[in-house]
Amino acid sequence: MNASLTLFGRVGLSLIFIISGWGKIAAYAGTQQYMASAGLPGSLLPLVIALELGGGLAVLTGAFTRWIALALAAFSLASAALFHAHLGDAAQAINFWKNVAMAGGFLMLAANGAGTLSLDHAWNKRRNA
């Protein structure tokens, strides 16, 4: 049961980043403008897309999970602070705390690993064989 729950947890954590990464590609110019409105250079967008899409796929498959989970936890907290810190606005407050919750999930994943249904587990098994 633990292996399945860990897998489902990884799926849940990864999907929002995979979908968001694709969305940023589809709305590239608009996303750059949104970043600029928060004081960030639009030139960072390729890195954001790489982290969201690549990191989301890595978490989904359980590859390099501990390091990617730490990176996505930090990214989630930075996004909360930079884009959703207007806690007087109910929608922004919900997004802020959603990002904090996702960071917590990623920290749990970093602490406990991807589980047995993952590429990390398969690679470790092969390495130790």
Side-chain angles (χ1 to χ4, degrees), residues 20-113:
S20 183
W22 279 118
K24 285 175 176 61
I25 292 170
Y28 198 90
T31 303
Q32 279 186 317
Q33 290 174 350
Y34 182 62
M35 289 175 67
S37 75
L40 295 172
S43 61
L44 291 177
L45 185 53
L47 296 174
V48 171
I49 292 169
L51 180 59
E52 286 188 343
L53 192 53
L57 290 169
V59 167
L60 179 66
T61 61
F64 312 106
T65 306
R66 291 180 192 265
W67 291 109
I68 297 294
L70 287 173
L72 287 171
F75 178 80
S76 295
L77 293 174
S79 295
L82 292 168
F83 295 101
H84 305 299
H86 312 289
L87 300 180
D89 176 341
Q92 291 300 319
I94 289 168
N95 282 318
F96 179 90
W97 292 113
K98 170 201 54 116
N99 280 30
V100 170
M102 288 189 309
F106 282 121
L107 292 175
M108 293 292 293
L109 193 55
N112 295 297

